[in-house]
PDB file of all heavy atoms in Angstrom:
ATOM      1  N   PHE A 445       5.267  20.728  -2.485  1.00 97.00           N
ATOM      2  CA  PHE A 445       5.198  22.111  -3.056  1.00 97.00           C
ATOM      3  C   PHE A 445       5.612  23.073  -2.126  1.00 97.00           C
ATOM      4  O   PHE A 445       5.710  22.897  -0.925  1.00 97.00           O
ATOM      5  CB  PHE A 445       3.754  22.326  -3.586  1.00 97.00           C
ATOM      6  CG  PHE A 445       2.710  22.341  -2.444  1.00 97.00           C
ATOM      7  CD1 PHE A 445       2.246  23.518  -1.869  1.00 97.00           C
ATOM      8  CD2 PHE A 445       2.217  21.108  -1.993  1.00 97.00           C
ATOM      9  CE1 PHE A 445       1.326  23.480  -0.820  1.00 97.00           C
ATOM     10  CE2 PHE A 445       1.239  21.098  -0.942  1.00 97.00           C
ATOM     11  CZ  PHE A 445       0.873  22.320  -0.422  1.00 97.00           C
ATOM     12  N   VAL A 446       5.957  24.261  -2.608  1.00 96.00           N
ATOM     13  CA  VAL A 446       6.407  25.446  -1.785  1.00 96.00           C
ATOM     14  C   VAL A 446       5.189  26.335  -1.665  1.00 96.00           C
ATOM     15  O   VAL A 446       4.608  26.763  -2.701  1.00 96.00           O
ATOM     16  CB  VAL A 446       7.608  26.127  -2.295  1.00 96.00           C
ATOM     17  CG1 VAL A 446       7.929  27.414  -1.585  1.00 96.00           C
ATOM     18  CG2 VAL A 446       8.825  25.149  -2.274  1.00 96.00           C
ATOM     19  N   TYR A 447       4.958  26.838  -0.505  1.00 95.00           N
ATOM     20  CA  TYR A 447       3.830  27.764  -0.216  1.00 95.00           C
ATOM     21  C   TYR A 447       4.176  28.614   0.992  1.00 95.00           C
ATOM     22  O   TYR A 447       4.614  28.086   2.060  1.00 95.00           O
ATOM     23  CB  TYR A 447       2.532  27.019  -0.005  1.00 95.00           C
ATOM     24  CG  TYR A 447       1.353  27.941   0.084  1.00 95.00           C
ATOM     25  CD1 TYR A 447       0.794  28.534  -1.083  1.00 95.00           C
ATOM     26  CD2 TYR A 447       0.690  28.278   1.304  1.00 95.00           C
ATOM     27  CE1 TYR A 447      -0.312  29.442  -1.024  1.00 95.00           C
ATOM     28  CE2 TYR A 447      -0.388  29.100   1.374  1.00 95.00           C
ATOM     29  CZ  TYR A 447      -0.880  29.685   0.146  1.00 95.00           C
ATOM     30  OH  TYR A 447      -1.989  30.494   0.260  1.00 95.00           O
ATOM     31  N   SER A 448       4.065  29.919   0.866  1.00 91.00           N
ATOM     32  CA  SER A 448       4.395  30.911   1.911  1.00 91.00           C
ATOM     33  C   SER A 448       5.831  30.634   2.532  1.00 91.00           C
ATOM     34  O   SER A 448       5.955  30.648   3.745  1.00 91.00           O
ATOM     35  CB  SER A 448       3.429  30.840   3.012  1.00 91.00           C
ATOM     36  OG  SER A 448       2.124  31.134   2.568  1.00 91.00           O
ATOM     37  N   GLY A 449       6.806  30.374   1.584  1.00 92.00           N
ATOM     38  CA  GLY A 449       8.147  30.271   2.048  1.00 92.00           C
ATOM     39  C   GLY A 449       8.483  28.957   2.688  1.00 92.00           C
ATOM     40  O   GLY A 449       9.590  28.860   3.238  1.00 92.00           O
ATOM     41  N   GLN A 450       7.780  28.012   2.535  1.00 95.00           N
ATOM     42  CA  GLN A 450       8.026  26.636   3.199  1.00 95.00           C
ATOM     43  C   GLN A 450       7.526  25.528   2.274  1.00 95.00           C
ATOM     44  O   GLN A 450       6.556  25.694   1.507  1.00 95.00           O
ATOM     45  CB  GLN A 450       7.330  26.506   4.565  1.00 95.00           C
ATOM     46  CG  GLN A 450       7.627  25.402   5.383  1.00 95.00           C
ATOM     47  CD  GLN A 450       7.090  25.479   6.841  1.00 95.00           C
ATOM     48  OE1 GLN A 450       6.280  26.370   7.078  1.00 95.00           O
ATOM     49  NE2 GLN A 450       7.600  24.621   7.736  1.00 95.00           N
ATOM     50  N   TRP A 451       8.259  24.341   2.406  1.00 97.00           N
ATOM     51  CA  TRP A 451       7.873  23.218   1.745  1.00 97.00           C
ATOM     52  C   TRP A 451       6.658  22.527   2.473  1.00 97.00           C
ATOM     53  O   TRP A 451       6.554  22.597   3.715  1.00 97.00           O
ATOM     54  CB  TRP A 451       8.896  22.193   1.562  1.00 97.00           C
ATOM     55  CG  TRP A 451       9.691  22.292   0.239  1.00 97.00           C
ATOM     56  CD1 TRP A 451       9.380  21.715  -0.920  1.00 97.00           C
ATOM     57  CD2 TRP A 451      10.853  23.201   0.034  1.00 97.00           C
ATOM     58  NE1 TRP A 451      10.352  22.108  -1.873  1.00 97.00           N
ATOM     59  CE2 TRP A 451      11.192  22.973  -1.270  1.00 97.00           C
ATOM     60  CE3 TRP A 451      11.569  24.059   0.824  1.00 97.00           C
ATOM     61  CZ2 TRP A 451      12.341  23.642  -1.901  1.00 97.00           C
ATOM     62  CZ3 TRP A 451      12.675  24.702   0.302  1.00 97.00           C
ATOM     63  CH2 TRP A 451      13.035  24.517  -1.053  1.00 97.00           C
ATOM     64  N   TRP A 452       5.757  21.943   1.627  1.00 98.00           N
ATOM     65  CA  TRP A 452       4.571  21.291   2.189  1.00 98.00           C
ATOM     66  C   TRP A 452       4.372  19.948   1.478  1.00 98.00           C
ATOM     67  O   TRP A 452       4.853  19.805   0.332  1.00 98.00           O
ATOM     68  CB  TRP A 452       3.293  22.132   1.978  1.00 98.00           C
ATOM     69  CG  TRP A 452       3.297  23.440   2.792  1.00 98.00           C
ATOM     70  CD1 TRP A 452       3.906  24.565   2.422  1.00 98.00           C
ATOM     71  CD2 TRP A 452       2.575  23.657   4.026  1.00 98.00           C
ATOM     72  NE1 TRP A 452       3.628  25.552   3.317  1.00 98.00           N
ATOM     73  CE2 TRP A 452       2.826  24.950   4.317  1.00 98.00           C
ATOM     74  CE3 TRP A 452       1.716  22.885   4.770  1.00 98.00           C
ATOM     75  CZ2 TRP A 452       2.330  25.597   5.496  1.00 98.00           C
ATOM     76  CZ3 TRP A 452       1.237  23.439   5.930  1.00 98.00           C
ATOM     77  CH2 TRP A 452       1.460  24.813   6.281  1.00 98.00           C
ATOM     78  N   ALA A 453       3.754  19.069   2.215  1.00 97.00           N
ATOM     79  CA  ALA A 453       3.386  17.717   1.639  1.00 97.00           C
ATOM     80  C   ALA A 453       1.917  17.594   1.617  1.00 97.00           C
ATOM     81  O   ALA A 453       1.252  17.846   2.658  1.00 97.00           O
ATOM     82  CB  ALA A 453       4.040  16.629   2.490  1.00 97.00           C
ATOM     83  N   ARG A 454       1.317  17.235   0.523  1.00 97.00           N
ATOM     84  CA  ARG A 454      -0.079  16.973   0.416  1.00 97.00           C
ATOM     85  C   ARG A 454      -0.283  15.455   0.518  1.00 97.00           C
ATOM     86  O   ARG A 454       0.149  14.678  -0.328  1.00 97.00           O
ATOM     87  CB  ARG A 454      -0.684  17.469  -0.967  1.00 97.00           C
ATOM     88  CG  ARG A 454      -2.209  17.362  -0.990  1.00 97.00           C
ATOM     89  CD  ARG A 454      -2.681  17.645  -2.365  1.00 97.00           C
ATOM     90  NE  ARG A 454      -2.486  16.476  -3.303  1.00 97.00           N
ATOM     91  CZ  ARG A 454      -2.693  16.510  -4.616  1.00 97.00           C
ATOM     92  NH1 ARG A 454      -3.207  17.638  -5.194  1.00 97.00           N
ATOM     93  NH2 ARG A 454      -2.511  15.452  -5.377  1.00 97.00           N
ATOM     94  N   LEU A 455      -1.001  15.033   1.553  1.00 96.00           N
ATOM     95  CA  LEU A 455      -1.207  13.605   1.866  1.00 96.00           C
ATOM     96  C   LEU A 455      -2.706  13.300   1.679  1.00 96.00           C
ATOM     97  O   LEU A 455      -3.607  14.090   1.820  1.00 96.00           O
ATOM     98  CB  LEU A 455      -0.830  13.282   3.255  1.00 96.00           C
ATOM     99  CG  LEU A 455       0.631  13.675   3.680  1.00 96.00           C
ATOM    100  CD1 LEU A 455       0.801  13.406   5.153  1.00 96.00           C
ATOM    101  CD2 LEU A 455       1.556  12.842   2.875  1.00 96.00           C
ATOM    102  N   SER A 456      -2.930  12.038   1.225  1.00 95.00           N
ATOM    103  CA  SER A 456      -4.320  11.587   0.879  1.00 95.00           C
ATOM    104  C   SER A 456      -4.598  10.393   1.700  1.00 95.00           C
ATOM    105  O   SER A 456      -3.952   9.399   1.908  1.00 95.00           O
ATOM    106  CB  SER A 456      -4.419  11.129  -0.598  1.00 95.00           C
ATOM    107  OG  SER A 456      -4.102  12.227  -1.491  1.00 95.00           O
ATOM    108  N   ALA A 457      -5.847  10.446   2.258  1.00 95.00           N
ATOM    109  CA  ALA A 457      -6.493   9.227   2.998  1.00 95.00           C
ATOM    110  C   ALA A 457      -7.187   8.409   1.949  1.00 95.00           C
ATOM    111  O   ALA A 457      -7.693   8.929   0.956  1.00 95.00           O
ATOM    112  CB  ALA A 457      -7.354   9.736   4.086  1.00 95.00           C
ATOM    113  N   GLN A 458      -7.096   7.091   2.238  1.00 93.00           N
ATOM    114  CA  GLN A 458      -7.915   6.181   1.325  1.00 93.00           C
ATOM    115  C   GLN A 458      -8.456   5.016   2.101  1.00 93.00           C
ATOM    116  O   GLN A 458      -7.983   4.818   3.213  1.00 93.00           O
ATOM    117  CB  GLN A 458      -7.040   5.689   0.130  1.00 93.00           C
ATOM    118  CG  GLN A 458      -7.401   6.306  -1.194  1.00 93.00           C
ATOM    119  CD  GLN A 458      -8.809   5.962  -1.642  1.00 93.00           C
ATOM    120  OE1 GLN A 458      -9.527   5.292  -1.025  1.00 93.00           O
ATOM    121  NE2 GLN A 458      -9.159   6.420  -2.805  1.00 93.00           N
ATOM    122  N   VAL A 459      -9.370   4.247   1.497  1.00 93.00           N
ATOM    123  CA  VAL A 459      -9.967   3.168   2.213  1.00 93.00           C
ATOM    124  C   VAL A 459      -9.025   2.106   2.659  1.00 93.00           C
ATOM    125  O   VAL A 459      -9.371   1.311   3.521  1.00 93.00           O
ATOM    126  CB  VAL A 459     -11.205   2.614   1.447  1.00 93.00           C
ATOM    127  CG1 VAL A 459     -12.286   3.649   1.268  1.00 93.00           C
ATOM    128  CG2 VAL A 459     -10.688   2.142   0.051  1.00 93.00           C
ATOM    129  N   TYR A 460      -7.998   1.941   1.878  1.00 91.00           N
ATOM    130  CA  TYR A 460      -7.043   0.849   2.145  1.00 91.00           C
ATOM    131  C   TYR A 460      -5.768   1.324   3.065  1.00 91.00           C
ATOM    132  O   TYR A 460      -4.863   0.588   3.199  1.00 91.00           O
ATOM    133  CB  TYR A 460      -6.489   0.250   0.864  1.00 91.00           C
ATOM    134  CG  TYR A 460      -6.076   1.294  -0.186  1.00 91.00           C
ATOM    135  CD1 TYR A 460      -4.935   2.042  -0.001  1.00 91.00           C
ATOM    136  CD2 TYR A 460      -6.928   1.392  -1.269  1.00 91.00           C
ATOM    137  CE1 TYR A 460      -4.601   2.974  -1.026  1.00 91.00           C
ATOM    138  CE2 TYR A 460      -6.584   2.311  -2.304  1.00 91.00           C
ATOM    139  CZ  TYR A 460      -5.439   3.117  -2.171  1.00 91.00           C
ATOM    140  OH  TYR A 460      -5.148   4.001  -3.128  1.00 91.00           O
ATOM    141  N   LEU A 461      -5.889   2.574   3.582  1.00 93.00           N
ATOM    142  CA  LEU A 461      -4.825   3.085   4.433  1.00 93.00           C
ATOM    143  C   LEU A 461      -5.256   3.158   5.806  1.00 93.00           C
ATOM    144  O   LEU A 461      -6.450   3.196   6.192  1.00 93.00           O
ATOM    145  CB  LEU A 461      -4.385   4.494   3.875  1.00 93.00           C
ATOM    146  CG  LEU A 461      -3.800   4.499   2.470  1.00 93.00           C
ATOM    147  CD1 LEU A 461      -3.502   5.986   2.149  1.00 93.00           C
ATOM    148  CD2 LEU A 461      -2.572   3.657   2.347  1.00 93.00           C
ATOM    149  N   GLY A 462      -4.232   3.196   6.724  1.00 94.00           N
ATOM    150  CA  GLY A 462      -4.569   3.299   8.226  1.00 94.00           C
ATOM    151  C   GLY A 462      -3.526   4.258   8.775  1.00 94.00           C
ATOM    152  O   GLY A 462      -2.657   4.825   8.088  1.00 94.00           O
ATOM    153  N   MET A 463      -3.617   4.463  10.086  1.00 95.00           N
ATOM    154  CA  MET A 463      -2.703   5.372  10.785  1.00 95.00           C
ATOM    155  C   MET A 463      -1.280   4.912  10.673  1.00 95.00           C
ATOM    156  O   MET A 463      -0.378   5.755  10.701  1.00 95.00           O
ATOM    157  CB  MET A 463      -3.172   5.488  12.240  1.00 95.00           C
ATOM    158  CG  MET A 463      -4.436   6.374  12.440  1.00 95.00           C
ATOM    159  SD  MET A 463      -4.160   8.038  11.880  1.00 95.00           S
ATOM    160  CE  MET A 463      -2.822   8.599  12.956  1.00 95.00           C
ATOM    161  N   GLU A 464      -1.009   3.627  10.563  1.00 95.00           N
ATOM    162  CA  GLU A 464       0.368   3.134  10.394  1.00 95.00           C
ATOM    163  C   GLU A 464       0.944   3.652   9.180  1.00 95.00           C
ATOM    164  O   GLU A 464       2.195   3.858   9.136  1.00 95.00           O
ATOM    165  CB  GLU A 464       0.337   1.625  10.514  1.00 95.00           C
ATOM    166  CG  GLU A 464      -0.266   0.842   9.299  1.00 95.00           C
ATOM    167  CD  GLU A 464      -1.824   0.735   9.377  1.00 95.00           C
ATOM    168  OE1 GLU A 464      -2.390   1.318  10.371  1.00 95.00           O
ATOM    169  OE2 GLU A 464      -2.362   0.017   8.571  1.00 95.00           O
ATOM    170  N   ASP A 465       0.160   3.908   8.134  1.00 94.00           N
ATOM    171  CA  ASP A 465       0.753   4.381   6.816  1.00 94.00           C
ATOM    172  C   ASP A 465       1.141   5.870   7.014  1.00 94.00           C
ATOM    173  O   ASP A 465       2.099   6.271   6.477  1.00 94.00           O
ATOM    174  CB  ASP A 465      -0.289   4.285   5.755  1.00 94.00           C
ATOM    175  CG  ASP A 465      -0.610   2.825   5.471  1.00 94.00           C
ATOM    176  OD1 ASP A 465       0.203   2.124   4.876  1.00 94.00           O
ATOM    177  OD2 ASP A 465      -1.722   2.360   5.736  1.00 94.00           O
ATOM    178  N   PHE A 466       0.310   6.657   7.699  1.00 96.00           N
ATOM    179  CA  PHE A 466       0.722   7.998   7.958  1.00 96.00           C
ATOM    180  C   PHE A 466       1.897   8.147   8.857  1.00 96.00           C
ATOM    181  O   PHE A 466       2.772   8.975   8.653  1.00 96.00           O
ATOM    182  CB  PHE A 466      -0.540   8.723   8.587  1.00 96.00           C
ATOM    183  CG  PHE A 466      -1.539   9.185   7.568  1.00 96.00           C
ATOM    184  CD1 PHE A 466      -2.599   8.294   7.324  1.00 96.00           C
ATOM    185  CD2 PHE A 466      -1.411  10.385   6.874  1.00 96.00           C
ATOM    186  CE1 PHE A 466      -3.548   8.634   6.299  1.00 96.00           C
ATOM    187  CE2 PHE A 466      -2.407  10.649   5.995  1.00 96.00           C
ATOM    188  CZ  PHE A 466      -3.443   9.827   5.601  1.00 96.00           C
ATOM    189  N   ASP A 467       1.981   7.234   9.885  1.00 96.00           N
ATOM    190  CA  ASP A 467       3.201   7.203  10.730  1.00 96.00           C
ATOM    191  C   ASP A 467       4.405   6.941   9.894  1.00 96.00           C
ATOM    192  O   ASP A 467       5.498   7.528  10.014  1.00 96.00           O
ATOM    193  CB  ASP A 467       3.012   6.096  11.842  1.00 96.00           C
ATOM    194  CG  ASP A 467       4.253   6.039  12.734  1.00 96.00           C
ATOM    195  OD1 ASP A 467       4.428   6.931  13.572  1.00 96.00           O
ATOM    196  OD2 ASP A 467       5.066   5.046  12.477  1.00 96.00           O
ATOM    197  N   TRP A 468       4.294   5.975   8.926  1.00 95.00           N
ATOM    198  CA  TRP A 468       5.429   5.607   8.095  1.00 95.00           C
ATOM    199  C   TRP A 468       5.831   6.766   7.225  1.00 95.00           C
ATOM    200  O   TRP A 468       7.037   7.053   7.094  1.00 95.00           O
ATOM    201  CB  TRP A 468       5.089   4.396   7.174  1.00 95.00           C
ATOM    202  CG  TRP A 468       6.083   3.991   6.282  1.00 95.00           C
ATOM    203  CD1 TRP A 468       7.185   3.213   6.474  1.00 95.00           C
ATOM    204  CD2 TRP A 468       6.205   4.427   4.869  1.00 95.00           C
ATOM    205  NE1 TRP A 468       7.938   3.121   5.374  1.00 95.00           N
ATOM    206  CE2 TRP A 468       7.341   3.792   4.341  1.00 95.00           C
ATOM    207  CE3 TRP A 468       5.361   5.231   4.051  1.00 95.00           C
ATOM    208  CZ2 TRP A 468       7.744   3.976   2.953  1.00 95.00           C
ATOM    209  CZ3 TRP A 468       5.774   5.376   2.736  1.00 95.00           C
ATOM    210  CH2 TRP A 468       6.940   4.824   2.236  1.00 95.00           C
ATOM    211  N   VAL A 469       4.794   7.465   6.558  1.00 96.00           N
ATOM    212  CA  VAL A 469       5.169   8.475   5.639  1.00 96.00           C
ATOM    213  C   VAL A 469       5.750   9.651   6.395  1.00 96.00           C
ATOM    214  O   VAL A 469       6.573  10.453   5.901  1.00 96.00           O
ATOM    215  CB  VAL A 469       3.959   8.887   4.800  1.00 96.00           C
ATOM    216  CG1 VAL A 469       3.021   9.840   5.529  1.00 96.00           C
ATOM    217  CG2 VAL A 469       4.427   9.542   3.415  1.00 96.00           C
ATOM    218  N   GLY A 470       5.354   9.853   7.629  1.00 97.00           N
ATOM    219  CA  GLY A 470       5.975  10.942   8.466  1.00 97.00           C
ATOM    220  C   GLY A 470       7.310  10.799   8.721  1.00 97.00           C
ATOM    221  O   GLY A 470       8.176  11.632   8.559  1.00 97.00           O
ATOM    222  N   ARG A 471       7.742   9.550   9.088  1.00 97.00           N
ATOM    223  CA  ARG A 471       9.124   9.185   9.397  1.00 97.00           C
ATOM    224  C   ARG A 471       9.958   9.279   8.089  1.00 97.00           C
ATOM    225  O   ARG A 471      11.109   9.650   8.064  1.00 97.00           O
ATOM    226  CB  ARG A 471       9.257   7.884  10.146  1.00 97.00           C
ATOM    227  CG  ARG A 471       8.711   7.828  11.423  1.00 97.00           C
ATOM    228  CD  ARG A 471       8.907   6.452  12.190  1.00 97.00           C
ATOM    229  NE  ARG A 471       7.884   5.520  11.753  1.00 97.00           N
ATOM    230  CZ  ARG A 471       8.114   4.501  10.938  1.00 97.00           C
ATOM    231  NH1 ARG A 471       9.338   4.279  10.435  1.00 97.00           N
ATOM    232  NH2 ARG A 471       7.145   3.675  10.578  1.00 97.00           N
ATOM    233  N   THR A 472       9.309   8.866   6.983  1.00 96.00           N
ATOM    234  CA  THR A 472      10.024   8.912   5.740  1.00 96.00           C
ATOM    235  C   THR A 472      10.315  10.342   5.307  1.00 96.00           C
ATOM    236  O   THR A 472      11.415  10.682   4.832  1.00 96.00           O
ATOM    237  CB  THR A 472       9.172   8.185   4.624  1.00 96.00           C
ATOM    238  OG1 THR A 472       8.951   6.840   4.942  1.00 96.00           O
ATOM    239  CG2 THR A 472       9.843   8.317   3.218  1.00 96.00           C
ATOM    240  N   LEU A 473       9.317  11.218   5.424  1.00 97.00           N
ATOM    241  CA  LEU A 473       9.528  12.603   5.020  1.00 97.00           C
ATOM    242  C   LEU A 473      10.539  13.267   5.957  1.00 97.00           C
ATOM    243  O   LEU A 473      11.352  14.106   5.490  1.00 97.00           O
ATOM    244  CB  LEU A 473       8.178  13.377   5.179  1.00 97.00           C
ATOM    245  CG  LEU A 473       7.151  13.052   4.066  1.00 97.00           C
ATOM    246  CD1 LEU A 473       5.761  13.669   4.378  1.00 97.00           C
ATOM    247  CD2 LEU A 473       7.720  13.534   2.694  1.00 97.00           C
ATOM    248  N   ARG A 474      10.565  12.889   7.224  1.00 98.00           N
ATOM    249  CA  ARG A 474      11.578  13.358   8.186  1.00 98.00           C
ATOM    250  C   ARG A 474      12.945  13.039   7.724  1.00 98.00           C
ATOM    251  O   ARG A 474      13.857  13.858   7.702  1.00 98.00           O
ATOM    252  CB  ARG A 474      11.283  12.803   9.505  1.00 98.00           C
ATOM    253  CG  ARG A 474      12.316  13.091  10.571  1.00 98.00           C
ATOM    254  CD  ARG A 474      12.090  14.464  11.221  1.00 98.00           C
ATOM    255  NE  ARG A 474      13.002  15.424  10.725  1.00 98.00           N
ATOM    256  CZ  ARG A 474      12.945  16.653  11.173  1.00 98.00           C
ATOM    257  NH1 ARG A 474      12.191  17.116  12.129  1.00 98.00           N
ATOM    258  NH2 ARG A 474      13.789  17.565  10.650  1.00 98.00           N
TER     259      ARG A 474
END
Side-chain angles (χ1 to χ4, degrees):
F445 60 99
V446 172
Y447 187 74
S448 295
Q450 187 170 12
W451 267 270
W452 294 78
R454 187 190 75 184
L455 304 173
S456 300
Q458 252 297 359
V459 294
Y460 43 73
L461 298 176
M463 285 301 297
E464 67 278 6
D465 296 290
F466 281 91
D467 179 77
W468 176 86
V469 82
R471 289 183 283 106
T472 298
L473 289 171
R474 172 83 259 182

